[in-house]
Each structure stands twice: as structure tokens, then as C-alpha cells.
Amino acid sequence: MSETRIPSPTEIEARRTPAGGWTKAQLAQWGVPWPPPKGWRQKLVREWKEQQAYTPELSEFRKPMPVPDGMVQGDLF
């Protein structure tokens, strides 16, 4: 069984229909039943925030390492 991806608060707002709601299909993709229960958005936002607390930013892994004194970038150790 595949895990449902939790949308960000920005994505939730961006997926509104022109009428201001969300489609049944869109909510189903987020694991929200139809009709959506009271508080479904707050629950998704809370779950998304909890997920972010355990997911390090990729940029953290892309930061260059400091170069030791006397060496130049690209020297082999």
C-alpha cells in the first residue's frame, strides 16, 4: 500500500477550485474522505509540519565543506 503524500499549506490553498472549495478527487489524493470532516485542513497542516520536523532540507547536504587552512578547494586528502 502506498503512503499518501501530505500537501503543504501552500499547495492546499493553490488547489482550490474557482468556486473556492476542493474537488472530491483532490481530497481523495490527500487521503481526506468525502464529505470532508470538520478540521481536515488543520489536520493536514499539522501532519505536514510534523513531517517537516523529521525531513532535513536537501540544501543542508549541498553546503560546501569548509576548506582547511593551507589547502585549496579541489585538493585531495
Side-chain angles (χ1 to χ4, degrees), residues 18-61:
W22 291 266
T23 65
K24 182 178 180 180
Q26 180 62 70
L27 293 175
Q29 287 180 348
W30 295 334
V32 178
W34 189 264
K38 183 176 181 178
W40 68 268
R41 280 186 288 167
Q42 293 82 0
K43 182 176 184 270
L44 283 180
V45 169
R46 185 174 57 251
E47 290 173 358
W48 181 81
K49 286 180 180 178
E50 289 170 1
Q51 180 184 28
Q52 298 308 302
Y54 296 105
T55 307
E57 292 288 328
L58 287 177
S59 60
E60 289 297 316
F61 298 107

